[in-house]
Amino acid sequence: AAELTHFNMGRWPDPILRRPARAVENQWFGTETLEKVTKLLRDVARENKAVGLAAQQCGIDARIVYLELPLPNLRQQSVTMINPIITERSPETEMRVWTEYCLVLPPTFRATVLRDALVVVQYLDVQGMPQKIRFTGEAARAVQHELDHDRGILTLDHVGMEDLENDVMRKIERQGHDDRQESAYQRANVEL
């Protein structure tokens, strides 16, 4: 069998980007396979100069998110989160406005989105050990963006149809856009 050495990132409108990822099952924790997947995910993120990357963006049906940026309360510059969930978030009145782009979308597309100013994320590390991180600022924005990918939500789901770049994009996105937009704005502290 050929050894997997690289992941390719999906590009919009690839339907893989719309599929919610499944949780990583217990039998995979502590295995060479999971270690390899997380390393390849990190490599793809770095190769594309991405702040973060969800495995789902690479066609991997697994709730794995990689972030690489200065992380508050941590000494390291990166973290791999498996089966992450937001367990706490700032009040709605403290949401922040961000202009986001995404590597899987056309390079000219930008979306103005609202993100929580603070989120606490619980997750498992590659050994299956429970972890928790409190994210603020850019790190909070980035983790929420990547957790959207885990749910099959893209930044373009945060805007109205009229804010999409052109008629081609509107035609492709029309079906299901309202439901995806509603999902994009859900703020419940539940497993994503």
Side-chain angles (χ1 to χ4, degrees):
E3 183 178 343
L4 186 61
T5 59
H6 189 269
F7 291 148
N8 291 315
M9 199 181 325
R11 303 286 183 201
W12 180 87
D14 187 335
I16 193 69
L17 299 171
R18 294 307 194 169
R19 291 188 199 135
R22 287 189 278 194
V24 174
E25 296 177 3
N26 289 337
Q27 76 244 27
W28 295 106
F29 290 97
T31 66
E32 285 184 35
T33 300
L34 186 58
E35 293 269 353
K36 177 87 172 183
V37 166
T38 60
K39 179 187 175 301
L40 289 173
L41 192 63
R42 180 201 66 208
D43 293 348
V44 172
R46 288 178 176 172
E47 177 183 305
N48 287 279
K49 297 177 176 52
V51 170
L53 189 64
Q56 186 269 4
Q57 290 173 266
C58 297
I60 307 301
D61 188 10
R63 292 188 38 236
I64 304 171
V65 168
Y66 175 79
L67 289 177
E68 184 159 352
L69 68 165
L71 298 166
N73 309 323
L74 294 178
R75 294 177 197 260
Q76 73 255 32
Q77 296 290 306
S78 66
V79 63
T80 299
M81 298 178 286
I82 302 170
N83 300 338
I85 59 169
I86 294 174
T87 57
E88 298 175 42
R89 54 177 79 239
S90 54
E92 197 166 346
T93 56
E94 295 177 19
M95 292 183 85
R96 301 286 181 258
V97 177
W98 294 88
T99 300
E100 290 188 0
Y101 70 97
C102 182
L103 292 173
V104 302
L105 293 173
T108 56
F109 182 75
R110 300 288 184 269
T112 301
V113 301
L114 287 171
R115 299 284 189 195
D116 290 296
L118 173 149
V119 291
V120 175
V121 177
Q122 288 184 351
Y123 64 96
L124 301 171
D125 64 19
V126 294
Q127 298 303 317
M129 300 303 298
Q131 307 291 329
K132 184 186 334 185
I133 301 179
R134 179 181 186 268
F135 294 96
T136 60
E138 165 61 9
R141 185 213 59 78
V143 74
Q144 290 171 85
H145 177 105
E146 299 310 327
L147 291 178
D148 274 355
H149 281 295
D150 255 5
R151 301 184 301 143
I153 299 295
L154 302 174
T155 55
L156 50 79
D157 298 319
H158 285 264
V159 302
M161 292 294 290
E162 68 280 1
D163 296 319
L164 299 180
E165 281 189 334
N166 54 51
D167 289 340
V168 171
M169 190 177 249
R170 282 187 277 281
K171 182 178 180 183
I172 292 170
E173 288 300 312
R174 184 164 284 115
Q175 186 176 356
H177 183 77
D178 290 344
D179 291 339
R180 289 190 306 272
Q181 189 174 38
E182 186 177 319
S183 293
Y185 283 106
Q186 287 178 348
R187 297 185 73 246
N189 293 335
V190 296
E191 189 167 331
L192 300 173

